[in-house]
Amino acid sequence: MQSVLSQLVLGYRPLWGPTRTLAGVELSVHAADAALAVDAPHLLRTLHELWAAHSPPLLLAPQTRQLLCDLLAHAPPGSPAVAVPGAWLGDSAICQQVQAAHARGLQLVWRGDAGQPPEPALARCFDTRLLGLSPETAVRALQAGAAAGTLLAGQMVEGLASRALVALCLDRGQAQAVLGWPQEDVLHSLRHQPLQPARATVQKLMKAIDAEQSLEVFEDILGEDPLLAYRFMVYTNSAALGLRTGIDSLRRGLVMMGYGSLSRWLSDQLPHASAEPDLQPVRAAMVVRARLTERLIDAGLETALRREVYLCALFSQLGELLREPLGSVLRRVPLSERIYDAAVLQTGPYAPSLAMARALEGGDAGVVRQLGKAHGLALEDVNRALLRTLASLEAAPPAP
């Protein structure tokens, strides 16, 4: 039986809550072939099988009317929420299916411009809204004071291109979450100060050392922060440590460094570590890219090479964090040439998986199809890797 995952092109974008932690994930769903019907019940069963209790809430975003209708018709109560574009509610058939799905208990999200809300008769069918805000609309609404709470409280917002607008919506407007993150503007706004590893990650690793946990745990924690991992690699290859051979992986660095030296190095990092909340989504998105790239690579690779792939993707945006050319950043440590080739030159064995992970972040179906054909990456394998990666994430508990 053909898997439904071979019939789809998927993409994702994280939803970030007021604490700047993961609140959910939007999963865009395209039909791989417009001429063929997608088995919506099979898709819903697949998601149910893959998702765990800790997995982030899903918002399904069908990209065609037929996909939307199939999900509205077949999704049982307890299924992931379904986003319904407000522009499609001019179709009476879709309106009827929305009403029937709501009556059945399916969670629905109205999606559209904040200035064009749904008709009152349909508005009650939606549990919440995903609002598109222009900068002008957002500022006007939030300047209205109490009216801003009415507009944004408990709603989700997308299309925010600046850090200031995110703060206005999440902190003052009490929005439930924002879809996507203005990484470029966040990094630009912090350009006058050197970016530091996250204090929470440094402390987490120090606690793991005190608890005498395993090297695997240490490596996993280091891999949660690209800046901390990179600084660790630079330090282990510095004259201060006095090692005779180059350290080309986190694991080897941990083995050579030892618990005591690692603990002292972390103590030196802690006073300068960052607690800037707006950097959390930036780091977290880089970690998701790394996990996804690792899953996309040939499953037959040995563990050491898979961890090398992870490091390649984790470091692929270091140039943006350190405000230097990525090639110069990576040449400071004796990493595998495979990492440099993929991250900088976009060549070599890791390049296709890294390129695919990037494409899935934006949900560009055309690019995903093109990369799949060019590099022999089957849609079913790509989609399964994506879903398993997303299901492995943990969402922060909702605010009380």
Side-chain angles (χ1 to χ4, degrees):
M1 179 180 177
Q2 186 182 37
S3 168
V4 69
L5 296 183
S6 65
Q7 306 170 0
L8 302 171
V9 180
L10 303 178
Y12 78 98
R13 285 192 296 170
L15 284 152
W16 304 104
T19 60
R20 279 52 169 179
T21 51
L22 188 67
V25 177
E26 177 203 52
L27 188 70
S28 61
V29 187
H30 305 254
D33 186 340
L36 298 177
V38 172
D39 189 343
H42 188 185
L43 171 62
L44 294 166
R45 289 196 301 272
T46 300
L47 294 174
H48 179 74
E49 291 166 2
L50 290 173
W51 245 243
H54 65 76
S55 302
L58 265 185
L59 174 62
L60 298 181
Q63 299 300 299
T64 66
R65 294 179 186 232
Q66 186 58 56
L67 271 173
L68 173 62
C69 290
D70 290 343
L71 288 170
L72 292 175
H74 296 290
S79 297
V82 176
V84 180
W88 293 0
L89 292 175
D91 185 326
S92 60
I94 291 180
C95 289
Q96 291 174 3
Q97 287 189 306
V98 163
Q99 292 169 330
H102 168 68
R104 198 169 64 244
L106 180 63
Q107 186 179 0
L108 301 175
V109 176
W110 180 86
R111 182 180 211 156
D113 188 281
Q116 299 176 341
E119 295 293 331
L122 282 175
R124 64 175 180 270
C125 295
F126 297 99
D127 296 81
T128 188
R129 300 177 187 181
L130 177 55
L131 304 173
L133 289 184
S134 69
E136 296 80 9
T137 302
V139 171
R140 280 200 305 270
L142 290 161
Q143 286 174 342
T150 304
L151 175 66
L152 297 180
Q155 313 299 318
M156 299 179 286
V157 187
E158 64 177 331
L160 302 181
S162 77
R163 183 187 184 194
L165 281 178
V166 166
L168 284 170
C169 291
L170 288 178
D171 303 331
R172 184 173 169 188
Q174 299 181 329
Q176 175 185 330
V178 298
L179 178 60
W181 195 254
Q183 175 174 318
E184 183 177 343
D185 188 69
V186 167
L187 295 180
H188 179 74
S189 68
L190 297 171
R191 67 192 181 281
H192 299 302
Q193 61 189 72
L195 300 186
Q196 304 288 348
R199 180 174 297 149
T201 308
V202 175
Q203 292 173 329
K204 182 177 179 180
L205 185 50
M206 293 177 77
K207 289 179 181 178
I209 294 170
D210 291 341
E212 298 184 350
Q213 297 192 29
S214 66
L215 283 176
E216 288 80 4
V217 172
F218 296 171
E219 185 178 15
D220 287 344
I221 296 173
L222 263 178
E224 292 176 4
D225 189 319
L227 280 174
L228 186 64
Y230 178 72
R231 285 198 175 178
F232 174 79
M233 294 286 291
V234 170
Y235 179 72
T236 55
N237 284 285
S238 68
L241 208 57
L243 300 178
R244 294 182 179 180
T245 57
I247 301 298
D248 60 359
S249 71
L250 298 179
R251 173 62 64 90
R252 189 167 182 219
L254 289 167
V255 169
M256 299 300 290
M257 201 168 183
Y259 282 31
S261 296
L262 177 60
S263 184
R264 287 190 293 274
W265 178 75
L266 289 170
S267 296
D268 292 339
Q269 303 303 307
L270 190 58
H272 311 288
S274 171
E276 170 55 62
D278 285 347
L279 283 175
Q280 290 181 166
V282 176
R283 294 190 190 93
M286 294 171 74
V287 170
V288 176
R289 176 187 288 188
R291 291 183 180 180
L292 177 53
T293 305
E294 184 184 19
R295 283 189 184 271
L296 285 166
I297 204 72
D298 182 3
L301 285 183
E302 61 182 70
T303 301
L305 286 180
R306 295 184 68 85
R307 300 307 291 170
E308 185 175 287
V309 173
Y310 182 94
L311 205 60
C312 172
L314 186 71
F315 286 174
S316 65
Q317 292 173 281
L318 273 177
E320 298 171 42
L321 296 185
L322 298 175
R323 307 179 191 99
E324 296 181 56
L326 180 59
S328 302
V329 171
L330 296 184
R331 285 304 190 199
R332 292 202 187 101
V333 289
L335 297 169
S336 161
E337 285 298 316
R338 292 182 290 264
I339 292 179
Y340 185 92
D341 289 347
V344 179
L345 305 179
Q346 300 178 26
T347 61
Y350 302 160
S353 297
L354 179 57
M356 181 62 80
R358 285 173 171 151
L360 292 168
E361 291 169 9
D364 189 323
V367 175
V368 171
R369 288 192 191 95
Q370 181 182 3
L371 287 170
K373 290 179 180 178
H375 300 294
L377 300 171
L379 280 178
E380 179 176 353
D381 295 336
V382 169
N383 290 333
R384 195 171 297 281
L386 173 60
L387 293 179
R388 285 177 172 166
T389 300
L390 297 179
S392 71
L393 304 177
E394 294 189 26

